[in-house]
Amino acid sequence: MRWQTVVGAPIFETPRLIQDDLFVSPDAVGMFRFRARDGAEIWNRPARGVEKFVGATPEAIFGSDRSMNLVRLSRQTGEVQGALALNRFSIRVPNDL
């Protein structure tokens, strides 16, 4: 193990490693972006925002909020860039890069 950190809740979702970014979604806490090589926290979104990783592009991260809406975050800053009310669609299939 190269590093470890405390995120405040159990992690039930698989952490997602994309290049040198590690995205972690602890239960009911939100989403974190860490630098994989050294564990530095780059940003985190509180539980009122994104709670589950759904997918990624070079510019954005997509996740689900508590209402199961699809939320787009800036990959660089973690700021919310938009959301789609997709709470009627219950199946989410993450893209594995």
Side-chain angles (χ1 to χ4, degrees), residues 13-18 25 31 52-56 61-64 68 70 90-97:
E13 298 288 322
T14 302
R16 303 296 175 155
L17 178 63
I18 303 171
S25 300
M31 181 180 286
K52 295 185 183 209
F53 180 93
V54 175
I61 299 300
F62 296 89
S64 292
M68 292 298 292
L70 185 67
S90 60
I91 298 174
R92 299 278 192 264
V93 180
N95 68 343
D96 293 319
L97 300 176

Side-chain angles (χ1 to χ4, degrees), residues 2 11 25-27 31 44-45 54 58-60 84 90-91 93-94:
R2 294 182 182 195
I11 300 170
S25 300
D27 189 42
M31 181 180 286
N44 73 67
R45 297 277 20 124
V54 175
E59 300 84 27
L84 292 173
S90 60
I91 298 174
V93 180

Side-chain angles (χ1 to χ4, degrees), residues 27-83:
D27 189 42
V29 172
M31 181 180 286
F32 291 77
R33 176 183 171 205
F34 295 100
R35 192 168 44 230
R37 70 177 169 266
D38 61 9
E41 182 180 310
I42 298 170
W43 53 256
N44 73 67
R45 297 277 20 124
R48 59 182 158 71
V50 173
E51 294 187 346
K52 295 185 183 209
F53 180 93
V54 175
T57 69
E59 300 84 27
I61 299 300
F62 296 89
S64 292
D65 64 13
R66 275 193 183 164
S67 299
M68 292 298 292
N69 295 312
L70 185 67
V71 181
R72 177 187 165 122
L73 304 174
S74 163
R75 187 163 172 175
Q76 293 301 313
T77 66
E79 293 298 316
V80 174
Q81 296 179 324

